[in-house]
């Protein structure tokens, strides 16, 4: 019954797309895209993940990087990637959750990365904003260093969250890098001035709906600072709903989904 409802919702979503899309948006569907960062294991959408993956695939999103953020959700990311060829699994300890890690967190993470050849290390990073809820910054730094060393040692990309901490991130990357497999700066909103140094170390810059609320001049300066061959697109779903969404999550129009990478 549940599967029938999901299939019905899938076709309703496609029908709505055909009705509301302009000619330009429909042409964009012919593009094959990659959502470089999202969280379909998030409790707000995990029960709809199958539907959202099918909608994204039908809209031309051929790969979706799903990033784990704590030990508690890594198994969900793994299960999703095992079931869907389009899901690229990423496993990492997000800076908001470093204080809740277990003694075996690093061994578990290393085993997961090694067991999944397409996996990247992420979401990892540094955060000095209030949303980090007072998490000790020194511990964030130590956990990030271990995970960046793991990514470099295993020749895997890393997906990095950085808010108000680019001087510290740059210093750490200089100590450990360069990173031939690449470092993805997820939902990048950093200063244009840091782009050249980060590029030299192997960074790519991923843009999401978080960029859209910025003043237009500021957003343009950030994007124009990035070399074209280092630009990636992401949704950061279920967060960062773009200001011009094409798709909405059934049952909650405030949430984002991978198919909206077209809007980005």
């Amino acid at each position: 019954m549940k599967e029938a409802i999901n299939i019905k919702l899938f076709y309703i979503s496609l029908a709505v797309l055909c009705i509301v899309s302009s000619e330009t948006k429909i042409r964009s569907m012919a593009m094959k895209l990659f959502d470089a960062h999202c969280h379909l294991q998030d409790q707000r959408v995990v029960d709809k993940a199958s539907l959202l993956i099918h909608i994204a695939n039908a809209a031309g999103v051929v790969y979706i990087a799903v990033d784990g953020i704590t030990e508690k959700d890594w198994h969900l990311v793994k299960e999703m990637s095992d079931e869907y060829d389009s899901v690229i699994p990423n496993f990492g300890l997000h800076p908001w959750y470093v204080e809740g890690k277990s003694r075996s967190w690093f061994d578990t993470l290393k085993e997961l990365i090694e067991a999944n050849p397409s996996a990247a290390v992420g979401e990892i990073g540094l955060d000095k904003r209030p949303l980090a809820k007072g998490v000790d910054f020194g511990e964030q730094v130590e956990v990030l260093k271990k995970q960046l060393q793991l990514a470099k040692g295993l020749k895997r990309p890393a997906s990095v969250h950085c808010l108000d901490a680019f001087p510290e991130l740059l210093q750490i990357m200089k100590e450990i890098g360069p990173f031939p497999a690449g470092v993805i700066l997820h939902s990048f909103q950093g200063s244009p001035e840091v782009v050249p140094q980060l590029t030299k170390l192997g960074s790519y810059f991923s843009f999401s709906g978080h960029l859209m609320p910025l003043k237009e001049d500021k957003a343009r300066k950030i994007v124009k600072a990035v070399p074209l061959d280092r630009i990636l697109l992401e949704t950061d779903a279920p967060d960062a709903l773009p200001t011009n969404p094409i798709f909405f999550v059934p049952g909650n129009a405030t949430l984002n989904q991978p198919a909206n990478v077209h809007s980005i």
Side-chain angles (χ1 to χ4, degrees), residues 17 37 62 96 140 150 163 171 213 220 240 242 246 254:
L17 167 67
H37 186 107
V62 293
W96 294 357
Q140 291 186 43
L150 177 65
L163 291 174
Q171 182 58 41
R220 283 182 181 276
I246 303 173
T254 68

Side-chain angles (χ1 to χ4, degrees), residues 41-208:
Q41 85 285 8
D42 187 292
Q43 290 303 308
R44 292 169 292 172
V45 294
V46 68
D47 62 330
K48 301 179 179 72
S50 177
L51 172 65
L52 301 183
I53 291 167
H54 282 109
I55 291 172
N57 294 163
V61 183
V62 293
Y63 291 109
I64 303 165
V66 178
D67 288 70
I69 57 174
T70 76
E71 294 170 83
K72 295 177 182 178
D73 72 7
W74 292 345
H75 72 286
L76 295 173
V77 175
K78 166 68 174 164
E79 289 167 6
M80 218 172 283
S81 69
D82 287 345
E83 186 169 353
Y84 300 100
D85 291 340
S86 59
V87 171
I88 307 298
N90 292 349
F91 306 101
L93 193 57
H94 190 286
W96 294 357
Y97 304 106
V98 297
E99 292 180 341
K101 65 185 183 301
S102 71
R103 291 183 180 180
S104 60
W105 76 272
F106 186 76
D107 291 335
T108 303
L109 177 61
K110 187 172 184 287
E111 288 172 7
L112 274 170
I113 300 294
E114 290 178 332
N116 294 272
S118 64
V121 180
E123 178 178 355
I124 64 178
L126 300 173
D127 196 326
K128 285 186 171 181
R129 289 191 181 175
L131 280 174
K133 299 174 183 174
V135 177
D136 182 74
F137 191 72
E139 191 164 359
Q140 291 186 43
V141 167
E142 291 308 309
V143 169
L144 173 63
K145 284 182 176 179
K146 290 195 74 169
Q147 294 182 103
L148 282 177
Q149 287 165 345
L150 177 65
K152 183 174 181 179
L154 295 179
K155 299 178 181 178
R156 303 294 181 89
S159 187
V160 174
H161 164 118
C162 185
L163 291 174
D164 293 350
F166 278 99
E168 293 87 349
L169 175 63
L170 191 55
Q171 182 58 41
I172 292 168
M173 289 180 63
K174 285 178 178 177
E175 291 173 7
I176 299 173
F179 300 89
V183 169
I184 300 166
L185 294 169
H186 128 74
S187 287
F188 182 69
Q189 297 179 62
S191 162
E193 287 73 29
V194 301
V195 170
Q197 296 179 73
L198 289 168
T199 300
K200 287 180 183 177
L201 292 164
S203 296
Y204 291 77
F205 304 82
S206 187
F207 295 108
S208 72

